[in-house]
Amino acid sequence: LVRMKFLQLLSRKPGKLEMLFQIPFCQKQFPYLSLATSTCLCSKKKKGNSYEQVDQEKYKKLVYSVTSYKTSAQTPETIFEEDNLIYGPPDKCRPPAGAETKTPKNWFPLINPNRRILPLNSDSNLPMKIPLQRKKMPSVTRILQQTISPQQAFYLERWKQKMILELGKDGFEEYTKNLFLHGELFHAALESVLLPEKTTAKDQGEDAAISGYLSSVQHVLEDISDVRALESAVQHETLQYLGLVDCVAKYRGQLCVIDWKTSEKPKPLLKNTFDNPLQVAAYIGAINHDANYDFQVSCGLIVIAYKNGSAAHSHFMDPGLCSQYWNKWLLRLEEYRDKN
Ligand code: MN
């Protein structure tokens, strides 16, 4: 009898384990996790559909308990990493049907082949600052927001719900309001730091709320020179979109579109910055095809400044990386056009 039970256990166990790992990805329950289904779809096909008898309600709870075991404040990034740890990378079995394999229908070069670059006498030139005008063109941020991946929307929503649980609805509103305000203050402060000294009245009494962010980027500022544009509007004349770049300057000798980001959580890797690299690539392409600018940019830099003042992470994007993200951006732009 004991042996029989043991055998039963043996034959049962693998099945249970399998269910455990596959049910979370079941498309019916988790439509947002469609990308993550790639691992299970393969084995599903081989085995036929033996999961229909599974008590889905029961496992839903189990999955919930696994994914929500932390009570600390999380960002979409940390949740994403956490899920990645729990479930493993989703693209082992076959490439995801997403952006990685697609190529834009109407490809357009990032670099403008027709632009002649004039030799610059950079010292005398003030950075450009073209004001953003209301136009019919959509902005880069709007396009990215409206084409956000279901996975990202899911993690974002989950983070939001968690924050509301912690802070209350009003508390969360206050929190996001301050987040935006401090972001704006920080950008304005950097703009005045990067302007040539003669033109700016410095020591405007820095806000204590952003002093951490400012000391965080101090070491990055030492590598920045030859500022060509600050908080300046860019528009892609052919692809018809616009945006406001934080800064165009040399970083360690290479001309970059620079985007400052504020963060309360570490983002040590470029992949932690979600759509930020697409945004930077979009700005580079726009600058290169905007008649207001007479230079050409092929690199990008994303600087993550930390509220607590710890050293900012700077993520340099070389021309190869920029081209990769440019293709991803073109796909998102096409997706946006299809929707609107
Ligand atoms: Mn920024």
Side-chain angles (χ1 to χ4, degrees):
L1 195 87
V2 174
R3 225 179 89 183
M4 254 183 74
K5 273 196 174 162
F6 180 67
L7 280 173
Q8 273 178 353
L9 255 175
L10 263 184
S11 56
R12 228 188 276 155
K13 242 200 162 147
K16 276 205 171 164
L17 268 174
E18 234 169 51
M19 289 175 211
L20 230 165
F21 285 107
Q22 298 194 3
I23 292 306
F25 298 129
C26 201
Q27 270 169 318
K28 274 181 207 158
Q29 283 174 270
F30 286 81
Y32 287 129
L33 287 172
S34 53
L35 227 180
T37 51
S38 55
T39 25
C40 74
L41 280 176
C42 300
S43 46
K44 227 176 171 178
K45 271 181 200 151
K46 277 178 240 151
K47 298 226 164 191
N49 203 343
S50 60
Y51 303 113
E52 275 169 3
Q53 307 104 310
V54 169
D55 184 351
Q56 303 209 342
E57 271 314 302
K58 189 176 142 197
Y59 284 107
K60 210 176 188 172
K61 273 180 199 152
L62 177 68
V63 171
Y64 182 74
S65 73
V66 171
T67 53
S68 60
Y69 76 97
K70 257 190 179 175
T71 48
S72 65
Q74 287 174 312
T75 62
E77 298 91 297
T78 60
I79 293 169
F80 190 79
E81 279 165 20
E82 196 181 314
D83 287 0
N84 216 26
L85 264 174
I86 296 169
Y87 302 127
D91 55 355
K92 276 277 159 67
C93 229
R94 65 169 188 203
E100 261 69 45
T101 49
K102 278 191 201 158
T103 46
K105 273 174 266 168
N106 300 303
W107 191 78
F108 200 90
L110 173 65
I111 303 296
N112 186 345
N114 302 317
R115 182 160 293 185
R116 298 267 161 269
I117 317 252
L118 307 163
L120 259 184
N121 47 337
S122 55
D123 287 343
S124 58
N125 287 359
L126 273 179
M128 298 178 68
K129 186 188 168 81
I130 298 167
L132 196 61
Q133 285 164 333
R134 281 272 138 249
K135 287 187 182 161
K136 279 178 192 157
M137 279 182 233
S139 72
V140 171
T141 40
R142 183 193 172 87
I143 294 163
L144 288 174
Q145 266 166 17
Q146 293 207 356
T147 56
I148 190 169
S149 75
Q151 289 79 13
Q152 235 181 83
F154 172 81
Y155 294 125
L156 206 66
E157 185 57 26
R158 192 165 68 172
W159 170 78
K160 191 179 153 191
Q161 293 311 326
K162 206 157 249 179
M163 291 297 277
I164 289 174
L165 263 176
E166 253 176 65
L167 307 170
K169 222 177 161 121
D170 292 344
F172 180 68
E173 255 170 48
E174 182 75 13
Y175 170 81
T176 40
K177 207 181 84 191
N178 280 328
L179 221 57
F180 282 117
L181 178 69
H182 296 164
E184 275 173 25
L185 283 172
F186 172 62
H187 279 75
L190 276 177
E191 190 188 342
S192 82
V193 166
L194 290 167
L195 271 174
E197 274 169 50
K198 297 162 250 171
T199 57
T200 162
K202 280 189 182 168
D203 312 315
Q204 301 154 332
E206 272 160 13
D207 197 314
I210 57 159
S211 60
Y213 290 124
L214 283 174
S215 47
S216 175
V217 296
Q218 219 50 56
H219 71 289
V220 183
L221 294 180
E222 285 165 22
D223 288 325
I224 286 172
S225 62
D226 202 0
V227 181
R228 305 273 181 91
L230 280 172
E231 302 281 334
S232 195
V234 295
Q235 67 174 73
H236 200 297
E237 280 150 9
T238 315
L239 295 177
Q240 292 287 297
Y241 64 84
L242 52 76
L244 192 72
V245 289
D246 287 347
C247 180
V248 179
K250 280 188 178 168
Y251 173 73
R252 298 184 176 167
Q254 282 180 284
L255 196 62
C256 292
V257 160
I258 302 174
D259 199 357
W260 317 109
K261 297 287 176 194
T262 54
S263 178
E264 295 179 2
K265 301 268 167 155
K267 294 179 181 175
L269 303 169
L270 187 66
K271 69 169 187 184
N272 304 132
T273 67
F274 284 91
D275 283 340
N276 292 171
L278 279 75
Q279 187 190 355
V280 167
Y283 290 159
I284 294 173
I287 282 190
N288 293 344
H289 295 87
D290 183 330
N292 288 315
Y293 300 89
D294 60 2
F295 49 80
Q296 184 126 248
V297 185
S298 55
C299 297
L301 185 74
I302 297 166
V303 181
I304 314 291
Y306 298 114
K307 194 184 174 79
N308 66 7
S310 60
H313 283 114
S314 19
H315 303 297
F316 179 73
M317 295 162 62
D318 65 24
L321 208 51
C322 287
S323 299
Q324 282 177 38
Y325 284 108
W326 173 247
N327 285 347
K328 292 186 182 191
W329 161 250
L330 289 177
L331 286 168
R332 297 281 286 271
L333 187 62
E334 279 176 5
E335 197 188 327
Y336 176 85
R337 301 272 184 233
D338 289 346
K339 277 186 188 172
N340 290 274

